[in-house]
């Protein structure tokens, strides 16, 4: 659905025929995506969706394989700059042992670990959490990005961190970063950017150099770190996807 929506929006055409999607068309589409700020990974996911639809159409006899544009157009592959960074379990342990020197370092450390302990929860979803989302040691919420419902038992480390910040909250929200009980979606979006920017800067300039970790780590890497831990422990991709 996302791939189709982006194709329609970028081409200005809601009714696109297979024969219109040529190698040149795809190259121009890729350029449009990049101008919109999409990275190579996101573009690759969409292009593979288009390729899969073409393959299905050909196999069903809907179109002739002479219209297949992916023999000449090559889907871009992520470069080193686009790779998903993560902290290993040993590096997570070093972060857990890290003693913050100020409030900024404490917040950056706590939020990264809270996401890691809570199965890679996105920051906007953390902001949206209300006290009603926490019941008998279980956290349940609807993921903003996908609309998926998640419900799981909190591990002790997650409980401890949440209790620490719940005590500071003066609203119905779990964390003390939202000043009102009822706010619009745009408010959460703006608050996410305002809070994450200094958190990521603190990680980059203070915490990582102290831990001697030479990686491009941001808050979102907590999600990658959690998923990678499960992968290295030989859990199936389907299980990891469901957990996330």
């Amino acid at each position: 659905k996302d791939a189709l929506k982006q194709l329609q929006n970028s081409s200005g055409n809601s009714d696109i025929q297979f024969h219109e999607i040529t190698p040149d068309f795809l190259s121009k589409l890729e350029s449009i995506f990049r101008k919109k700020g999409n990275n190579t990974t996101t573009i690759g996911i969409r292009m593979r969706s288009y390729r899969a639809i073409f393959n299905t159409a050909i196999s069903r006899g809907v179109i002739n394989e002479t219209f297949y544009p992916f023999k000449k157009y090559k889907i871009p592959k992520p470069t080193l700059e686009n790779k998903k960074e993560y902290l290993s379990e040993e590096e997570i342990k070093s972060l857990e042992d890290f003693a913050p020197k100020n409030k900024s370092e404490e917040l950056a450390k706590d939020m990264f670990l809270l996401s890691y302990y809570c199965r890679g929860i996105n920051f906007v979803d953390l902001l949206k959490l209300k006290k009603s989302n926490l019941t008998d040691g279980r956290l349940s919420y609807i993921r903003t990005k996908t609309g998926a419902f998640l419900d799981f038992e909190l591990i002790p480390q997650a409980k401890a961190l949440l209790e620490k910040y719940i005590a500071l909250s003066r609203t119905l929200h779990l964390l003390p970063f939202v000043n009102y009980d009822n706010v619009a979606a745009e408010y959460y979006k703006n608050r996410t950017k305002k809070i994450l920017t200094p958190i990521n800067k603190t990680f980059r300039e203070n915490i990582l150099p102290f831990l001697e970790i030479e990686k491009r780590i941001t808050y979102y890497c907590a999600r990658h770190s959690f998923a990678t831990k499960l992968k290295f422990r030989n859990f199936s991709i389907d299980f990891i996807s469901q957990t996330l």
Side-chain angles (χ1 to χ4, degrees):
K1 287 182 179 180
D2 173 72
L4 176 59
K5 180 180 178 181
Q6 294 301 328
L7 177 62
Q8 292 170 330
N9 291 343
S10 299
S11 66
N13 185 359
S14 62
D15 185 22
I16 301 171
Q17 305 298 311
F18 279 107
H19 69 269
E20 296 178 74
I21 303 179
T22 63
D24 183 58
F25 178 96
L26 291 172
S27 294
K28 291 179 179 177
L29 185 64
E30 180 184 333
S31 296
I32 292 173
F33 287 156
R34 292 193 185 282
K35 288 180 180 178
K36 289 183 176 181
N38 298 144
N39 61 34
T40 302
T41 300
T42 299
I43 294 171
I45 290 172
R46 289 178 187 154
M47 292 302 183
R48 283 192 289 275
S49 296
Y50 305 142
R51 185 176 64 187
I53 293 170
F54 259 96
N55 287 333
T56 302
I58 292 172
S59 67
R60 293 182 181 178
V62 175
I63 59 168
N64 190 286
E65 62 181 345
T66 56
F67 290 112
Y68 189 69
F70 292 94
K71 289 182 179 179
K72 293 184 177 180
Y73 172 81
K74 300 302 179 184
I75 296 175
K77 295 181 179 180
T79 60
L80 184 62
E81 289 74 23
N82 296 117
K83 75 173 184 176
K84 293 182 177 181
E85 292 280 22
Y86 66 91
L87 294 183
S88 66
E89 291 190 65
E90 293 76 15
E91 290 167 336
I92 288 290
K93 181 63 170 62
S94 68
L95 178 60
E96 290 173 330
D97 294 338
F98 171 72
K101 298 183 289 296
N102 51 54
K103 290 293 184 180
S104 296
E105 291 183 358
E106 181 181 16
L107 180 64
K109 170 187 174 180
D110 287 351
M111 291 302 104
F112 187 96
L113 289 176
L114 184 57
S115 176
Y116 178 78
Y117 296 148
C118 292
R119 305 186 176 193
I121 186 172
N122 283 4
F123 197 75
V124 67
D125 292 324
L126 267 182
L127 286 187
K128 288 182 175 182
L129 289 178
K130 294 189 176 181
K131 290 161 187 176
S132 57
N133 293 109
L134 186 59
T135 308
D136 297 328
R138 297 187 68 85
L139 187 66
S140 60
Y141 70 97
I142 296 176
R143 190 168 180 235
T144 300
K145 185 174 182 179
T146 62
F149 176 74
L150 290 93
D151 177 85
F152 55 91
E153 184 176 356
L154 293 169
I155 63 174
Q157 298 96 314
K159 287 182 182 178
L161 275 177
L162 281 176
E163 288 171 359
K164 172 181 176 180
Y165 284 91
I166 289 173
L168 302 174
S169 176
R170 297 294 179 263
T171 69
L172 295 176
H173 292 84
L174 276 181
L175 302 183
F177 306 129
V178 180
N179 300 320
Y180 313 97
D181 288 334
N182 299 301
V183 296
E186 193 66 23
Y187 177 91
Y188 290 116
K189 182 179 178 180
N190 293 336
R191 289 294 288 169
T192 294
K193 183 177 181 180
K194 185 173 182 179
I195 298 171
L196 272 189
T197 297
I199 282 178
N200 290 333
K201 182 179 179 182
T202 298
F203 248 99
R204 184 174 63 251
E205 298 180 0
N206 297 34
I207 298 178
L208 294 178
F210 182 86
L211 297 178
E212 298 181 349
I213 297 175
E214 297 181 358
K215 293 181 179 179
R216 299 169 66 241
I217 298 296
T218 63
Y219 168 88
Y220 193 73
C221 296
R223 185 172 178 82
H224 304 157
S225 302
F226 173 75
T228 303
K229 177 183 72 172
L230 297 185
K231 183 178 179 182
F232 284 162
R233 291 186 180 186
N234 295 319
F235 285 95
S236 72
I237 296 298
D238 286 342
F239 175 82
I240 296 173
S241 177
Q242 185 68 27
T243 304
L244 291 170

